[in-house]
Amino acid sequence: MLIISINAGSSSLKFKLYNMPRGTVICGGLFERIDLESGIFTLKINGTKEEKHLQVPSHGFALQMLLDTLISKKIIKSYHDIKAAGHRVVQGGSLFKRSAPITTTSKAQVASLIPLAPLHNEPELNCATAFEAILPNLFQVFVFDTSFHQTMEEADYLFPIPYDLAMKHQLRRYGAHGTSHQYLAKIVEQKIIRNKKSYKLISCHIGSGASICAIKDGKSIATSMGLTPLGGIMMGTRSGDMDPSVYYYLQKLEGLTNEATFQLLNRKSGLAGVSMLSSDSRDVLEAEARGDKNAIIADELFVRRSADFISQYYGRLGGADVIVFSAGIGENSPEYRERVVRSLEEAYKLDIDLELNKKTRGTFMKLSTPKSKVKIYVIPTDEELMIAKDAYQLYQEQQNEPK
Ligand code: AMP
């Protein structure tokens, strides 16, 4: 049964078509530079990659083009071969504890959360609506980055601001990357913990966006990202947590507006801001090797912010059975992993095989030696598969409902 998973950004649209329930990937790809002068459509199929440069005026146009391409390439015979679509949504607020079928009500709820994630929820909702217009009878679901973290207790998600204001404006920690952390926890259960019922996992999703999550017995109990994806550890372009008065002083001393300050912390800070070079960890590492002082301090800051959260969660969980590194940097940067582990090894008796670590990029691998008190793994994440699985499960539930 064919299920498509869709991840829409303001000017991009990533997709993967799966054969479920096996989870076999039929094809995948992305549209970039939507609504800009020259767009790019990349299709990956059977190990080949095709790229087309053309104007892509809207997400709806992209989806129509995708469906027509699937037909012209004989991947599907008709639109109806696709039985369900799963759409990633960043902010589900406190409204969504799990993925949800797309209905008039759920669309209105996602729209009501736009103020909490304006850069994400709006394009994601528009994309789902465009898909509905093309395929009105298709079963579609929203899959939220925040749902997995809805198991956090109030003392873990509240911010220490006046309670009435927090309630009035729903200002609390929602977390993000939930789909990824949940996927990683499932892989840990299947391949590492196996029959043990109770386990403590620290999951590190470290890409251009990054978050760390404390997971106990499959449930998120604390996570680094906050109200929005700006919070938590330092990231490619985002500052992560800091003394909130920095916000006040930046506005006051630089004469910035509220909006400009928010943008500065979201788009010009983190690795990019401190290195004054690039948000890409490869560029920063390269500059560091040349002795660039800003690159050296940017990487050091990045490692320490990560280690701080791992330490915090080690305490919060009362220890850890497994630490997992995942996403672009976590999967591909031996330097990052080695430094994080080195900065914690004395406190938590960690030990990794440095040679194996050097060789490990983008593959499932156990890095810890038998001496290590905590098992340390690299696990490639797969958010799209989780989206497809949720869409498949909800589709099955809907089919089984009494008519
Ligand atoms: P993501 O957001 O998960 O796609 O991750 C993007 C980040 O992964 C960027 O900062 C990249 O520099 C980083 N990345 C990807 N490949 C490598 C690599 N081989 N070595 C170091 N960092 C990498």
Side-chain angles (χ1 to χ4, degrees):
M1 184 173 121
L2 298 185
I3 306 262
I4 192 160
S5 96
I6 306 271
N7 183 352
S10 56
S11 64
S12 66
L13 191 159
K14 282 192 215 160
F15 61 89
K16 248 186 196 175
L17 185 66
Y18 288 92
N19 200 347
M20 299 302 286
R22 295 194 65 173
T24 327
V25 179
I26 310 284
C27 66
L30 80 159
F31 290 83
E32 293 166 274
R33 300 177 56 79
I34 294 173
D35 199 21
L36 296 172
E37 255 170 36
S38 64
I40 311 168
F41 172 31
T42 310
L43 180 69
K44 291 183 205 160
I45 180 166
N46 298 330
T48 63
K49 192 166 137 179
E50 293 172 25
E51 208 174 275
K52 254 192 205 162
H53 290 249
L54 77 166
Q55 214 181 331
V56 186
S58 65
H59 286 83
F61 181 94
L63 290 167
Q64 185 68 60
M65 184 167 173
L66 169 60
L67 291 168
D68 292 344
T69 307
L70 295 179
I71 289 186
S72 71
K73 293 209 171 282
K74 301 195 170 29
I75 298 168
I76 55 173
K77 283 204 187 83
S78 97
Y79 292 177
H80 305 294
D81 289 353
I82 301 176
K83 297 295 178 223
H87 293 264
R88 177 198 183 197
V89 177
V90 163
Q91 182 56 271
S94 307
L95 297 174
F96 295 98
K97 309 237 179 288
R98 60 178 299 217
S99 301
I102 298 184
T103 59
T104 315
T105 311
S106 66
K107 278 196 294 186
Q109 287 172 318
V110 168
S112 76
L113 296 164
I114 288 175
L116 292 177
L119 303 178
H120 295 100
N121 273 35
E122 196 162 15
E124 289 154 357
L125 182 59
N126 290 343
C127 185
T129 308
F131 218 53
E132 261 187 333
I134 302 169
L135 295 170
N137 297 320
L138 181 71
F139 181 73
Q140 300 199 67
V141 306
F142 289 129
V143 180
F144 302 92
D145 266 25
T146 46
S147 300
F148 181 57
H149 303 300
Q150 282 291 302
T151 45
M152 284 191 289
E153 292 176 3
E154 197 176 26
D156 285 302
Y157 69 67
L158 267 191
F159 296 126
I161 58 171
Y163 192 80
D164 54 345
L165 288 180
M167 293 299 121
K168 180 174 168 196
H169 300 294
Q170 305 172 64
L171 300 176
R172 49 156 285 186
R173 182 186 301 279
Y174 293 105
H177 295 141
T179 318
S180 174
H181 291 300
Q182 189 174 17
Y183 173 81
L184 295 169
K186 288 229 178 320
I187 298 293
V188 166
E189 283 168 22
Q190 285 163 13
K191 297 196 174 177
I192 304 169
I193 298 295
R194 295 203 182 97
N195 300 327
K196 217 170 125 186
K197 286 226 165 59
S198 183
Y199 69 93
K200 297 164 180 174
L201 163 67
I202 300 176
S203 163
C204 308
H205 176 112
I206 314 292
S208 44
S211 70
I212 299 184
C213 184
I215 297 171
K216 187 161 188 316
D217 308 338
K219 290 199 170 73
S220 168
I221 63 161
T223 194
S224 60
M225 271 184 175
L227 169 67
T228 73
L230 178 58
I233 66 170
M234 163 181 168
M235 295 167 233
T237 63
R238 300 176 214 150
S239 65
D241 290 356
M242 53 182 192
D243 177 348
S245 61
V246 174
Y247 202 99
Y248 169 82
Y249 279 99
L250 273 174
Q251 287 201 359
K252 191 172 155 118
L253 301 174
E254 283 291 308
L256 297 174
T257 61
N258 186 29
E259 187 58 34
T261 316
F262 192 58
Q263 292 300 333
L264 183 138
L265 295 176
N266 265 293
R267 296 183 193 272
K268 296 194 175 146
S269 300
L271 273 181
V274 182
S275 72
M276 301 209 296
L277 255 176
S278 169
S279 63
D280 191 310
S281 72
R282 285 165 291 198
D283 298 339
V284 182
L285 268 178
E286 235 177 79
E288 192 182 346
R290 294 194 305 269
D292 185 291
K293 283 210 172 88
N294 280 76
I296 293 170
I297 191 64
D299 269 335
E300 188 55 32
L301 212 63
F302 189 45
V303 166
R304 289 195 192 183
R305 291 287 82 84
S306 308
D308 287 349
F309 269 99
I310 295 174
S311 271
Q312 186 183 327
Y313 293 156
Y314 193 92
R316 180 78 181 76
L317 287 164
D321 299 300
V322 186
I323 296 174
V324 165
F325 289 106
S326 192
I329 299 172
E331 289 169 31
N332 296 300
S333 175
E335 295 85 354
Y336 169 81
R337 294 189 301 248
E338 181 178 337
R339 288 175 190 180
V340 171
V341 171
R342 280 247 157 106
S343 69
L344 297 168
E345 65 187 354
E346 198 182 332
Y348 306 118
K349 309 283 176 272
L350 308 182
D351 191 51
I352 56 168
D353 180 330
L354 293 175
E355 282 312 306
L356 189 59
N357 179 47
K358 273 201 189 92
K359 285 188 267 181
T360 302
R361 286 170 203 273
T363 47
F364 179 93
M365 189 62 69
K366 181 180 186 180
L367 300 181
S368 50
T369 68
K371 260 185 15 198
S372 186
K373 257 191 83 181
V374 182
K375 294 188 177 94
I376 302 174
Y377 279 80
V378 173
I379 305 182
T381 193
D382 197 339
E383 291 163 285
E384 289 85 5
L385 178 61
M386 281 301 281
I387 293 171
K389 278 188 171 170
D390 274 13
Y392 175 74
Q393 192 183 330
L394 288 173
Y395 177 83
Q396 296 293 345
E397 284 174 21
Q398 183 233 28
Q399 294 291 306
N400 293 333
E401 266 171 22
K403 298 277 183 292

